[in-house]
Amino acid sequence: MKNNGSDILLEYGEKVLSSSQIVYQKDDYIFKINEPSDLIYFIEKGSVKLAKEDESGHEVVKSILSEGSIFGEMALVEQEKREEYARVLSNDTTVRVLVVHELLDAAKTDQSLFSRVLSLMGRKIEKLDKRIESITSKDSRTRIVEFLKELAVESGQKVGFETLIQNNFTHKDIANLTGTSRQTVTTTLNQLKEKNVINFDRRRILIRDVDLLV
């Protein structure tokens, strides 16, 4: 599981709070837009997509999360209704669920837990800030390359110098997440493949050496 602090919150939830474990299948919804925002989720196995629809009804992907990720955390800042939906991308995805009001009540008397909650929200804001900065200040190719590097760090499996990533992304998903076009994503990935920096298919992305991603 990722070492992002969520594992400690999860351990606390399992021991102290009334958490539950749910197994989902591909294309199941964990929650939908406008549903009550009263739970927080940890991915123990599998992957989940967070998305919403634009004014034309087209899907806009906000995040694609894998094992060790936490989501639904906006409920911690009194978001009453979900502003996005969470949909499962792989069979047998296992999610641990915590009740938000229980977590907040416990944090009032446990300074360590309170610090973890603040840290969790801080990382969320920091990640959003970095994405906005990237979209406004960097060219399309750089944004795509940095996205691949981020994937390698967050969910890649190291095999020697190579990094293997389970590919749950369409080119359109990557375009949405990097503020680029699908054609630019396709062109950039193919160029990297021709240079033997990466290899990819519908199931995985193999990065030969993260340091060569430039």
Side-chain angles (χ1 to χ4, degrees):
M1 185 171 288
K2 298 178 192 176
N3 184 22
N4 61 5
S6 65
D7 53 337
I8 297 175
L9 280 178
L10 177 58
E11 181 181 356
Y12 188 99
E14 291 175 335
K15 292 180 177 179
V16 180
L17 307 180
S18 56
S19 67
S20 59
Q21 186 186 70
I22 303 176
V23 178
Y24 295 92
Q25 301 306 315
K26 184 177 180 181
D27 293 330
D28 285 348
Y29 284 94
I30 297 176
F31 57 76
K32 297 181 180 180
I33 294 173
N34 289 326
E35 288 188 351
S37 182
D38 54 4
L39 301 172
I40 191 169
Y41 305 85
F42 299 85
I43 303 175
E44 296 184 341
K45 174 187 175 184
S47 53
V48 173
K49 172 169 63 179
L50 302 182
K52 61 191 304 182
E53 293 182 351
D54 62 19
E55 294 178 355
S56 302
H58 298 119
E59 182 180 69
V60 178
V61 177
K62 300 179 68 176
S63 300
I64 293 182
L65 307 172
S66 57
E67 178 182 330
S69 296
I70 184 171
F71 63 100
E73 69 271 37
M74 291 304 293
L76 293 169
V77 290
E78 299 183 350
Q79 179 193 67
E80 295 183 357
K81 300 289 184 180
R82 298 296 183 188
E83 297 178 357
E84 60 198 7
Y85 58 80
R87 195 169 188 180
V88 175
L89 293 176
S90 54
N91 285 327
D92 299 323
T93 289
T94 305
V95 175
R96 177 72 58 176
V97 183
L98 297 177
V99 179
V100 167
H101 76 80
E102 291 185 0
L103 183 60
L104 291 176
D105 286 345
K108 291 176 182 178
T109 57
D110 188 320
Q111 185 62 43
S112 176
L113 179 60
F114 180 73
S115 297
R116 293 292 176 183
V117 172
L118 287 182
S119 177
L120 178 66
M121 298 310 300
R123 282 194 299 273
K124 176 83 170 181
I125 294 170
E126 181 182 9
K127 190 170 184 178
L128 289 173
D129 284 346
K130 285 182 178 179
R131 180 176 294 179
I132 293 171
E133 179 184 358
S134 177
I135 289 175
T136 56
S137 65
K138 298 178 181 178
D139 63 84
S140 297
R141 187 183 188 281
T142 299
R143 297 202 295 270
I144 295 166
V145 167
E146 290 189 350
F147 172 77
L148 292 175
K149 288 183 176 180
E150 183 179 319
L151 268 186
V153 171
E154 291 193 351
S155 57
Q157 178 182 355
K158 197 74 173 176
V159 183
F161 288 106
E162 298 180 335
T163 303
L164 180 64
I165 304 167
Q166 297 303 313
N167 187 13
N168 295 307
F169 302 87
T170 66
H171 289 190
K172 184 176 182 296
D173 291 338
I174 297 175
N176 287 335
L177 290 166
T178 56
T180 59
S181 69
R182 181 164 51 184
Q183 180 58 47
T184 300
V185 171
T186 300
T187 299
T188 301
L189 293 181
N190 284 336
Q191 288 174 346
L192 292 171
K193 186 174 182 179
E194 289 170 4
K195 293 180 180 180
N196 201 34
V197 176
I198 68 171
N199 197 2
F200 61 89
D201 54 33
R202 292 183 177 181
R203 295 186 177 181
R204 66 176 190 170
I205 299 173
L206 182 67
I207 300 176
R208 303 295 185 189
D209 188 335
V210 174
D211 292 334
L212 297 178
L213 272 176
V214 293

